[in-house]
């Protein structure tokens, strides 16, 4: 689609605003929002920095699979096909997103990266619209803007002391693809979340000589079939039961079929599973970690404290000399350059509002996909997209 089509004419019938809703980001959150708006009769244009829908997913490691079942992971209006199986893989999800955009006939402008979002008025936040500065010198006009660039936007590696002097291989998990390059090597994986634990198991299965897993915060480990329960049932139960009761119930679920790994250096956390979930610390889905730890093929060790030229110093003072360090240490949202000047972000760089509603003083600016994924990120995205489209249709039509 030509970028000229993004511009709406300023000459409009009195009382009617024909400018589109601009959606920044063509991942699951952006596509779900655009599809929900289109179903409600509202024009939305998606601005996507990639050349193809699903590109950001295709760049993840080869073995990635969703942790919520297929039936809980579809976007509004189109379920994920049954042929993709219960646990959808990376490429399958990317293909689904591409098919989703086509089936909903979404307006997507590719190879456009948004640099900054500003109020179209003098700054009063009165709702007269927004301008979006993008690549190619574009300045686009919109009555509303939805930021949906994703929770995992910019890879983050801690600024460990001595990091610049380390002569071994150091890479973020975003640049890891598979275990083949590490066959026969000593590897340290940093990060006890889902990405770190999955990569550690994959490396052990793929022939790495030794795999250590540096863990800063002890994870709650759950079996894959229980992941959906923890995400959805826990949220529902929390509406009628005290958090400590939900923690006890969730704890029983997490212990079902999984041994206590305390003797192997990975004890269960003292805090409750659901209490941690509400704080944004999702449980770790067991994709083979428990068996690998018990077989000593993955060795849990304390967090990384610092690096030097030849090795890594751990929090307990021990020193190790891995041939490669893979940092599964999270992501940053990258929202500061886009909207940091609008006073709509909290100290952590996240939107001050956790749902789709506009932050105070920024009417018409919305964020979808940044709420902590208590019920699973794709399920949460679908809920937000539907609610947002319903509200826009109610107030504008």
């Amino acid at each position: 689609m030509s970028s000229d089509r993004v511009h709406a004419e300023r000459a409009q019938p009195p009382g009617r605003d024909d400018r589109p809703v601009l959606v920044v980001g063509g991942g699951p959150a952006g596509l779900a929002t655009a599809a929900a708006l289109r179903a409600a009769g509202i024009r939305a244009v998606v601005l996507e920095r990639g050349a193809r829908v699903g590109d950001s997913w295709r760049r993840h490691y080869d073995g990635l699979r969703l942790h919520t079942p297929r039936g809980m992971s579809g976007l509004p209006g189109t379920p994920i096909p049954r042929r993709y199986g219960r646990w959808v893989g990376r490429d399958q999800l990317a293909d689904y997103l591409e098919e989703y955009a086509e089936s909903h006939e979404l307006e997507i402008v590719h190879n456009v990266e948004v640099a900054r979002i500003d109020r179209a008025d003098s700054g009063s936040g009165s709702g007269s619209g927004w301008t979006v500065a993008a690549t190619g010198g574009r300045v686009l006009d919109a009555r509303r803007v939805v930021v949906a660039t994703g929770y995992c936007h910019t890879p983050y590696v801690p600024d460990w002391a001595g990091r610049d002097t380390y002569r071994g291989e150091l890479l973020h998990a975003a640049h890891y693809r598979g275990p083949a390059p590490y066959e026969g090597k000593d590897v340290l994986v940093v990060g006890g979340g889902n990405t770190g634990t999955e990569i550690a198991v994959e490396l052990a299965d793929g022939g790495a000589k030794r795999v250590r897993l540096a863990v800063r915060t002890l994870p709650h480990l759950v079996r894959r079939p229980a992941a959906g329960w923890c995400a959805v049932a826990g949220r529902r139960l929390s509406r009628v039961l005290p958090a400590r009761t939900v923690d006890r119930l969730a704890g029983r679920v997490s212990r079902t079929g999984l041994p206590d790994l305390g003797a192997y250096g990975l004890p269960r956390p003292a805090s409750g599973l659901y209490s941690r979930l509400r704080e944004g610390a999702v449980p770790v889905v067991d994709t083979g970690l428990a068996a690998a730890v018990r077989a000593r093929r993955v060795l849990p060790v304390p967090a990384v404290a610092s690096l030097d030229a030849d090795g890594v110093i751990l929090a307990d003072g021990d020193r190790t000399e891995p041939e490669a360090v893979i940092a599964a240490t999270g992501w940053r949202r990258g929202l500061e350059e886009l909207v940091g000047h609008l006073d709509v972000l909290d100290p952590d760089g996240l939107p001050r509002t956790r749902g789709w509603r506009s932050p105070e003083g920024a009417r018409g600016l919305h964020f979808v996909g940044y709420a902590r994924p208590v019920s699973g990120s794709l399920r949460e995205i679908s809920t937000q997209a539907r609610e947002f489209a319903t509200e826009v249709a109610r107030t504008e039509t």
Side-chain angles (χ1 to χ4, degrees), residues 1 31 64 66 89 112 127-128 131 136 160 180 218 222 248 291 294 353:
M1 185 183 84
L31 298 179
L64 176 65
L66 296 183
V112 173
S128 65
T131 59
W160 292 304
L218 292 172
V222 299
R248 285 199 298 271
R294 293 183 77 187
T353 52

Side-chain angles (χ1 to χ4, degrees), residues 7-51:
H7 294 271
E9 296 294 333
R10 286 192 177 275
Q12 302 155 8
R16 179 175 176 178
D17 191 339
D18 286 335
R19 291 174 296 173
V21 176
L22 292 183
V23 181
V24 183
L31 298 179
T33 301
L37 288 169
R38 191 177 191 281
I42 298 161
R43 185 187 175 207
V45 176
V46 179
L47 306 177
E48 164 57 32
R49 65 177 177 172

Side-chain angles (χ1 to χ4, degrees), residues 57 62-73 80-93 194 198 222-231 285-287 376 378:
W57 278 90
D62 297 343
L64 176 65
R65 289 188 176 273
L66 296 183
H67 293 146
T68 50
R70 181 193 67 252
M72 291 174 54
S73 305
I80 298 177
R82 292 178 62 87
R83 68 179 182 275
Y84 289 163
R86 189 179 185 193
W87 308 105
V88 180
R90 177 201 68 180
D91 289 342
Q92 293 169 326
L93 183 65
N194 279 294
E198 287 185 7
V222 299
R223 293 175 63 242
R224 177 170 268 167
W229 187 95
C230 292
V285 178
D286 180 35
T287 58
L378 292 174

